């Protein structure tokens, strides 16, 4: 059965947890564009092993004996509900950590033993329902949860009408209405007190309504409870709106897939699919897993994942993301992703992870509310007691004012003001194609004044082509290209792949190379038929002839990247390669300038080629940078002003970590995506200025919400002490403030 929903709403004294260790399911990266999980093989380097890049905010793995248990949750109305569940579960013996993802309605518990029964009982006592993700229960009808509210409204209306005829019976109906409305609130308050959350809105509401009942303010007590329950429904609606994007993302995964085996079609659950399985997707259906297209080209609608409105044509052999829709034909694909590790799963994992990285202002409000709520209760008590003891008035009048103060002082609007805005901001950013890892990253992004860009794969498309081959000895172009391709065979750098692709296009026989080693930041070497061959940057070759240096200068001035092919330290030839700018790069940088943001290009390329690219984009640049130099440059720039670093490669990851915020291109390497605080899902730079503008609007909305919440409380505090504000107006002010800050936050969802 579905337990009655309960709203803890606010006043939760509880700190955020880091992501729990997952025993069975932990996606390692969010490689959206490629839609495959790739693990980079470490390159051997004669300069030594590279230092591993730490992952941001990672929690160290616990003991091998610890297990991670996961449930879905029903009945949460606000982020404070999630924190009350965490507080209750964390108090259980054997529980090492507990984390509730409000957006995806999931509870993850890490423990040293099986505590399933204890966790389920603790959550049930709070009034929430747990369920397994394998078979989530159907969404319950809304009508049963509205019966209490409708009954309460009917009793109040009846009491008002009856009171016009017989005041005594009208007043008795108000008493009955108060008892009907108070019962579920008092029950929720008791549950929260037992679970370790004594200072909640339910506690304040119970004390205020019961006090009003004792003082004889029966009509006001009933009205207070009606307004409170209406405020709960409003908050539930806001939570549903905030979660709608995540829910829609989950709905992109079909429940079953059509697998082809032994020339037969069979319907199987998604969990049964494994890499290598061949599946069939009919026109108009969504892909159940990441797959590689077979046989024929086809168009796919990927807008739900990337925001790209137009269908994308995919050729045989290309990867297609889970959740994409086949537009024009039935297609067959080879499954690439493990169960739970598709593109959709990785995005959901990032959204869940984002909730653990709360903004500094959100953490401050949370800490403030822990002190604020008990302080308001103490102030209300002093208002009830001190003036009558000092002879300043009757006890009943001051007790009434103290009860009113309890309701005015409720921190609900203040507590929800920040997470409502951040959740809306993150959802709007995801809709635009920017996946941001939490409120802290969103707040940092709003303060950015400068952005450092990597060149290859970020400002350029990352697919350079060989433009010219200049022999320096007695070898022809094809001979040089054969040897260069043999040295680069298997390397992942864009220049290496361009050289190999050019050799393959010319149908050259590429010889086998052995002892291949990466020369960090400089080039690569390998042994072919017992002879050592190298591809090096011109700056690392010292014995070039004046004629060769002139060729290099001319090629670099034209915007080419140049590498030198050496045989046993003797220069054999020059290979020039050139990448082209992304189509949207110039417009994106112009939009950043309009926002007052300075752009700097950091590249390992030569100064002349870097100057040619930077000149086209009207930006500053620093060239000939090794990975360590990029980190140093980022640190230097960061000291001057808040800095973001945008990149896509393994070499960019340390620099991204050194910046205030790292932003990865969605097509980048797994290491870069893991190190980043945000990712541009379909590698479109125009998303960047939109995301920064959205982050700034979100920060403005947070400030507006805090001003609304505190301003209204300050105003009604004064009117209460002066005797102008009653109980019903106090709760209306609280619910009204909650409605205002929620509606203000939801405006961000309408940003395009």
């Amino acid at each position: 059965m579905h337990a009655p929903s309960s709203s803890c709403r606010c006043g939760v004294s509880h700190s955020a947890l880091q992501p729990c260790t997952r025993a069975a399911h932990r996606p390692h990266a969010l490689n959206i564009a490629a839609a495959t999980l790739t693990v980079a093989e470490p390159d051997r380097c004669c300069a030594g092993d590279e230092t591993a890049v730490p992952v941001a905010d990672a929690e160290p793995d616990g003991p091998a004996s610890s297990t991670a248990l996961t449930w879905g949750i029903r009945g949460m109305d606000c982020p404070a509900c999630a924190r009350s569940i965490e507080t209750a579960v964390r108090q259980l013996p054997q529980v090492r950590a507990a984390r509730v993802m409000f957006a995806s309605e999931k509870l993850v518990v890490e423990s040293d033993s099986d505590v399933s029964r204890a966790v389920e009982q603790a959550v049930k006592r709070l009034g929430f329902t747990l369920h397994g993700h394998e078979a989530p229960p159907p969404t319950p009808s809304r009508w049963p949860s509205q019966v209490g509210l409708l009954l309460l409204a009917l009793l109040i209306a009846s009491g008002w009408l009856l009171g016009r005829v017989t005041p005594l019976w009208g007043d008795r109906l108000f008493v009955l209405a108060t008892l009907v409305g108070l019962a579920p609130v008092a029950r929720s308050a008791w549950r929260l007190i037992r679970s370790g959350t004594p200072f909640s809105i339910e506690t304040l509401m119970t004390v205020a309504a019961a006090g009003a009942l004792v003082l004889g303010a029966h009509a006001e007590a009933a009205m207070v409870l009606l307004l409170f329950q209406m405020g709960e429904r409003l908050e539930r609606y806001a939570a549903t709106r905030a979660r709608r994007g995540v829910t829609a993302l989950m709905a992109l995964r079909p429940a079953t897939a059509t697998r082809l085996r032994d020339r037969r079609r069979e319907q199987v659950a998604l969990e049964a699919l494994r890499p290598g399985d061949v599946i069939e997707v009919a026109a108009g259906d969504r892909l159940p897993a990441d797959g590689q297209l077979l046989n024929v080209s086809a168009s796919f609608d990927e807008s739900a994942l990337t925001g790209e409105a137009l269908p994308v044509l995919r050729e045989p052999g290309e990867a297609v993301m889970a959740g994409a829709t086949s537009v024009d034909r039935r297609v067959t694909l080879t499954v690439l992703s493990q169960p739970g590790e598709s593109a959709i799963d990785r995005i959901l994992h990032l959204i869940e992870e984002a909730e653990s990285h709360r903004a500094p202002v959100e953490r401050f409000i949370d800490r403030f509310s822990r002190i604020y709520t008990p302080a308001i209760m103490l102030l209300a008590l002093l208002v009830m007691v001190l003036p009558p003891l000092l002879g300043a008035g009757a006890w009943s009048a001051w007790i009434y004012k103290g009860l009113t103060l309890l309701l005015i002082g409720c921190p609900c609007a203040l507590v929800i003001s920040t997470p409502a805005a951040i959740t809306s901001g993150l959802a709007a950013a995801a809709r635009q194609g920017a996946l941001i890892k939490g409120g802290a990253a969103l707040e940092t992004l709003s303060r950015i004044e400068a952005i450092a860009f990597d060149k290859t794969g970020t400002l350029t498309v990352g697919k350079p082509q060989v433009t010219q081959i200049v022999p320096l000895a007695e070898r022809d172009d094809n001979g040089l290209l054969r040897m260069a391709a043999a040295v680069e065979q298997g390397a992942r750098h864009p220049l290496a792949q361009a050289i190999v692709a050019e050799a393959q296009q010319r149908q050259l026989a590429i010889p086998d190379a052995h002892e291949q080693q990466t020369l960090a930041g400089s080039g690569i070497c390998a042994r072919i038929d017992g002879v050592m061959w190298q591809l090096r940057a011109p700056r690392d070759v010292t014995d070039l002839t004046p004629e060769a240096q002139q060729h290099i200068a001319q090629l670099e001035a034209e915007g080419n990247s140049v590498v030198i092919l050496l045989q046993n330290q003797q220069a054999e030839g020059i290979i020039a390669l050139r990448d082209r700018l992304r189509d949207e790069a110039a417009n994106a940088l112009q939009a950043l300038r309009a926002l007052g943001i300075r752009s700097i290009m950091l590249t390992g390329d030569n100064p002349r080629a870097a100057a040619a690219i930077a000149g086209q984009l009207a930006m500053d640049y620093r060239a000939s940078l090794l990975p360590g130099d990029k980190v140093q440059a980022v640190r230097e720039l960061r000291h001057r002003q808040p800095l973001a670093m945008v990149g896509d490669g393994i070499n960019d990851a340390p620099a991204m970590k050194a910046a205030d915020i790292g932003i990865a291109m969605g097509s980048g390497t797994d290491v870069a995506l893991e190190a980043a605080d945000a990712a541009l899902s379909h590698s479109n730079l125009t998303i960047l200025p939109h995301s920064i503008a959205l982050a700034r609007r979100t920060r403005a909305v947070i400030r507006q919400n805090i001003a609304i919440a505190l301003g209204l409380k300050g105003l009604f505090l004064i009117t209460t002490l002066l005797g102008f504000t009653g109980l019903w107006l106090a709760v209306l002010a609280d619910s009204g403030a909650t409605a205002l800050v929620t509606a203000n936050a939801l405006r961000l969802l309408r940003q395009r």
Side-chain angles (χ1 to χ4, degrees):
M1 293 181 61
H2 179 74
S5 64
S6 171
S7 171
C8 57
R9 290 174 62 107
C10 62
V12 178
S13 176
H14 152 78
S15 60
L17 297 175
Q18 294 300 319
C20 293
T21 302
R22 301 192 177 198
H25 167 55
R26 182 186 294 176
H28 294 281
L30 179 67
N31 196 339
I32 299 169
T36 57
L37 285 174
T38 57
V39 180
E41 298 178 0
D43 292 330
R44 291 176 298 165
C45 174
C46 41
D49 294 332
E50 288 185 295
T51 305
V53 180
V55 178
D57 297 313
E59 184 175 279
D61 290 337
S65 59
S66 65
T67 57
L69 307 171
T70 305
W71 293 269
I73 310 174
R74 293 284 190 191
M76 292 191 297
D77 296 330
C78 67
C81 296
R83 296 175 197 172
S84 68
I85 294 172
E86 286 180 346
T87 301
V89 174
R90 283 168 50 199
Q91 294 178 349
L92 296 174
Q94 306 301 320
V95 171
R96 299 180 64 239
R99 178 174 168 233
V100 175
M101 280 72 76
F102 177 70
S104 53
E105 298 182 286
K106 185 186 294 184
L107 167 65
V108 179
V109 175
E110 187 180 352
S111 65
D112 297 324
S113 60
D114 187 0
V115 292
S116 301
R117 185 176 297 276
V119 170
E120 290 168 0
Q121 290 176 350
V123 175
K124 185 177 181 180
R125 282 196 297 268
L126 286 175
F128 302 98
T129 303
L130 293 181
H131 63 83
H133 283 284
E134 294 77 11
T139 303
S141 171
R142 294 182 181 181
W143 284 107
S145 64
Q146 307 299 338
V147 169
L149 178 63
L150 294 174
L151 178 60
L152 180 58
L154 180 61
L155 288 173
I156 290 175
S158 301
W160 181 78
L161 291 173
L162 192 59
R164 312 275 295 183
V165 180
T166 60
L168 176 63
W169 282 101
D171 188 63
R172 288 177 178 176
L173 268 182
F174 281 128
V175 172
L176 178 61
T178 302
L179 294 175
V180 168
L182 184 59
V185 178
R187 188 163 55 246
S188 296
W190 176 242
R191 287 170 176 164
L192 289 167
I193 291 171
R194 290 180 59 193
S195 68
T197 310
F199 302 112
S200 64
I201 177 57
E202 281 79 8
T203 302
L204 299 181
M205 191 61 58
T206 300
V207 173
L213 197 62
V214 171
L215 289 177
H218 303 150
E220 289 187 82
M223 196 66 187
V224 160
L225 292 165
L226 176 65
L227 292 172
F228 170 69
Q229 292 198 25
M230 290 176 64
E232 274 194 317
R233 299 315 187 275
L234 174 66
E235 209 165 271
R236 192 171 304 163
Y237 168 76
T240 302
R241 282 288 306 275
R243 282 195 296 248
R244 189 170 296 170
V246 178
T247 305
L249 193 58
M250 291 178 173
L252 293 179
R253 295 178 295 190
T256 61
T258 302
R259 184 168 63 187
L260 304 180
R261 180 169 290 181
D262 299 329
R263 297 184 180 180
R264 290 184 297 105
R265 293 180 176 86
E266 54 182 359
Q267 292 293 319
V268 297
L270 296 189
E271 293 76 16
L273 293 179
R274 292 294 182 272
D277 286 350
V278 177
I279 58 174
E280 184 179 79
V281 178
D285 287 352
R286 295 191 182 276
L287 272 65
D290 298 343
Q292 185 179 42
L293 187 61
L294 300 176
N295 302 331
V296 295
S297 60
S299 296
F300 292 89
D301 179 2
E302 300 177 354
S303 58
L305 287 166
T306 66
E308 183 63 46
L310 297 177
V312 179
L313 180 65
R314 298 294 183 189
E315 300 293 338
E318 288 193 71
V320 188
M321 292 179 285
T325 302
S326 176
V327 175
D328 54 357
R329 64 178 63 196
R330 177 183 296 176
V331 294
T332 56
L333 306 100
T334 301
V335 174
L336 297 175
S337 58
Q338 294 282 354
E341 296 184 1
S342 69
I344 297 174
D345 295 307
R346 295 195 292 278
I347 295 174
L348 288 171
H349 175 67
L350 181 60
I351 293 172
E352 292 171 359
E353 183 183 275
E355 292 190 39
S356 67
H357 305 305
R358 297 193 295 159
V361 64
E362 187 177 3
R363 293 195 295 268
F364 169 76
I365 293 296
D366 188 48
R367 291 193 300 268
F368 177 72
S369 67
R370 299 180 212 169
I371 304 171
Y372 173 84
T373 308
I376 284 293
M377 296 189 75
L378 178 60
L379 178 60
L381 180 61
L382 293 176
V383 169
M384 293 178 192
V385 175
L386 283 183
L389 289 178
L390 297 176
W395 281 92
S396 59
W398 284 104
I399 290 175
Y400 183 86
K401 289 181 180 179
L403 295 174
T404 305
L405 188 60
L406 277 180
L407 299 181
I408 290 174
C410 167
C412 187
L414 183 63
V415 169
I416 202 175
S417 61
T418 302
I422 287 176
T423 300
S424 298
L426 292 174
R431 182 184 298 166
Q432 291 179 357
L435 301 171
I436 302 173
K437 295 183 180 179
L442 188 67
E443 183 173 338
T444 302
L445 187 62
S446 71
R447 303 179 188 277
I448 289 302
E449 297 177 6
I451 300 179
F453 290 89
D454 172 55
K455 181 176 75 72
T456 304
T458 304
L459 294 173
T460 64
V461 296
K463 295 181 179 179
Q465 295 178 334
V466 175
T467 57
Q468 193 171 347
I469 300 174
V470 181
L472 299 178
E474 297 180 358
R475 283 185 185 270
D476 59 8
D477 291 6
N478 287 344
L480 289 172
L481 187 60
R482 285 180 64 250
M483 306 312 291
V487 174
E488 295 282 21
Q489 186 80 33
R492 298 190 176 188
H493 193 280
L495 296 181
Q497 294 176 345
I499 291 172
V500 174
E502 181 67 19
Q504 292 173 341
Q505 183 177 346
R506 297 189 185 188
Q507 298 181 344
L508 302 178
I510 301 175
D512 293 331
H514 306 280
E515 302 178 23
Q516 186 186 55
Q517 291 181 320
T518 299
L519 312 176
S522 174
I524 191 170
C525 61
R527 193 172 297 276
I528 304 173
D529 296 330
V531 178
M532 181 59 68
W533 290 82
Q534 300 179 60
L535 279 169
R536 305 293 294 265
R539 65 173 179 266
D540 298 315
V541 182
T542 57
D543 56 350
L544 292 172
T545 65
E547 183 182 1
Q549 293 176 357
Q550 185 178 356
H551 275 299
I552 293 170
Q554 181 180 350
L555 290 169
E556 289 179 344
E558 294 170 357
N560 290 285
S561 298
V562 176
V563 293
I564 309 298
L565 179 65
L566 301 101
Q567 178 184 5
N568 289 332
Q569 306 300 324
Q570 178 66 38
E572 294 286 325
I574 301 169
I575 300 178
L577 305 97
R578 185 163 51 212
D579 201 355
R580 67 178 179 86
L581 285 175
R582 290 183 178 274
D583 295 334
E584 77 281 2
N587 290 335
L589 266 65
Q590 184 177 356
L592 289 173
R593 284 193 292 273
L595 293 173
I597 294 174
R598 175 191 174 205
S599 298
I600 310 100
M601 182 175 68
L602 304 180
T603 178
D605 213 340
N606 65 84
R608 284 184 287 266
I613 296 293
Q616 295 178 57
L617 297 173
M619 65 187 303
D620 297 331
Y621 71 93
R622 296 191 182 185
S624 300
L625 300 179
L626 299 176
D629 299 328
K630 282 188 181 181
V631 174
Q632 186 60 37
V634 165
R635 288 173 179 165
E636 179 187 334
L637 293 167
R638 183 184 178 187
H639 284 309
R640 301 179 186 176
Q641 54 195 154
L643 179 77
M645 172 70 193
V646 183
D648 75 323
I650 293 175
N651 289 341
D652 300 325
M656 290 162 63
K657 292 298 295 179
D660 291 286
I661 180 172
I663 303 171
M665 305 295 283
S667 58
T669 64
D670 292 348
V671 174
L673 289 165
E674 287 285 2
D677 303 295
L680 307 183
S681 63
H682 50 290
S683 299
N684 190 327
L685 288 175
T686 54
I687 298 171
L688 191 55
H690 293 306
S691 300
I692 293 174
L694 176 63
R696 291 178 177 179
R697 285 195 297 269
T698 302
R699 186 176 66 174
V701 166
I702 290 173
R703 290 177 174 175
Q704 294 164 10
N705 282 353
I706 293 174
I708 291 171
L710 293 180
L712 286 176
K713 291 185 186 305
L715 174 64
F716 282 97
L717 173 63
I718 295 172
T719 57
T720 296
L721 295 177
L722 293 176
F724 299 141
T725 304
L727 285 174
W728 69 271
L729 190 58
V731 75
L732 182 62
D734 174 65
S735 297
T738 302
L740 283 176
V741 299
T742 302
N744 195 34
L746 290 178
R747 287 191 306 118
L748 293 167
L749 293 174
R750 295 195 295 270
Q751 299 290 343
R752 297 293 180 186

